[in-house]
Amino acid sequence: MIGMSRYYISRAFISVAFGGLWALTGSAWWMAVLVSATLFALFLYAPHSGRYAVHPELGVMALQRDERTQTINDKAARNAFVIAMLAVAGIAIYFGAMASADVPVTALKLVLVLAALAYFLSDFWLRRS
């Protein structure tokens, strides 16, 4: 394999695995396919986005980051983690004290979506300068 093909094949496996996990949580099959296709589209966009230094000779690890990019990534991940933990705490308080019921899987899926949204918005906001 030459060039970026190892990178693309490995990212295809990751996308399919993530779609499978999405299906295992009870989502419809078409939703899992949509999530998998969207994730793979993001992997296809990444080498062309200008956010990474592309080194095709490194195969699966073809995308590299510099210090500034790593710092922005760390801050965005921290922000997403804080948002996710606050959301989980709110759900735990609501379902533990007020609703006295089990936490539905849908609520946990929404926390994952909220964390991903917080990550991407924070990443976008930090990269704007």
Side-chain angles (χ1 to χ4, degrees):
M1 289 187 211
I2 57 172
M4 295 290 289
S5 58
R6 281 192 230 160
Y7 167 80
Y8 291 127
I9 290 170
S10 69
R11 294 325 186 254
F13 284 127
I14 292 170
S15 299
V16 168
F18 194 82
L21 285 174
W22 199 265
L24 287 175
T25 61
S27 294
W29 68 269
W30 62 269
M31 184 63 87
V33 170
L34 182 66
V35 166
S36 184
T38 303
L39 185 60
F40 189 64
L42 289 172
F43 283 137
L44 289 175
Y45 170 70
H48 307 287
S49 68
R51 301 171 93 187
Y52 302 98
V54 180
H55 301 284
E57 67 276 3
L58 297 177
V60 175
M61 304 297 290
L63 303 183
Q64 302 292 315
R65 288 188 232 173
D66 58 0
E67 289 181 22
R68 177 183 177 274
T69 306
Q70 187 61 42
T71 302
I72 290 172
N73 184 48
D74 292 345
K75 288 179 182 178
R78 178 205 57 208
N79 295 343
F81 180 75
V82 168
I83 294 292
M85 290 301 103
L86 290 173
V88 167
I91 289 171
I93 290 170
Y94 175 75
F95 283 102
M98 296 179 188
S100 297
D102 293 333
V103 178
V105 174
T106 305
L108 298 177
K109 282 185 194 178
L110 290 176
V111 169
L112 289 176
V113 170
L114 179 66
L117 183 64
Y119 173 80
F120 288 117
L121 288 175
S122 179
D123 185 73
F124 177 74
W125 182 261
L126 292 169
R127 287 185 195 279
R128 68 181 166 72
S129 58

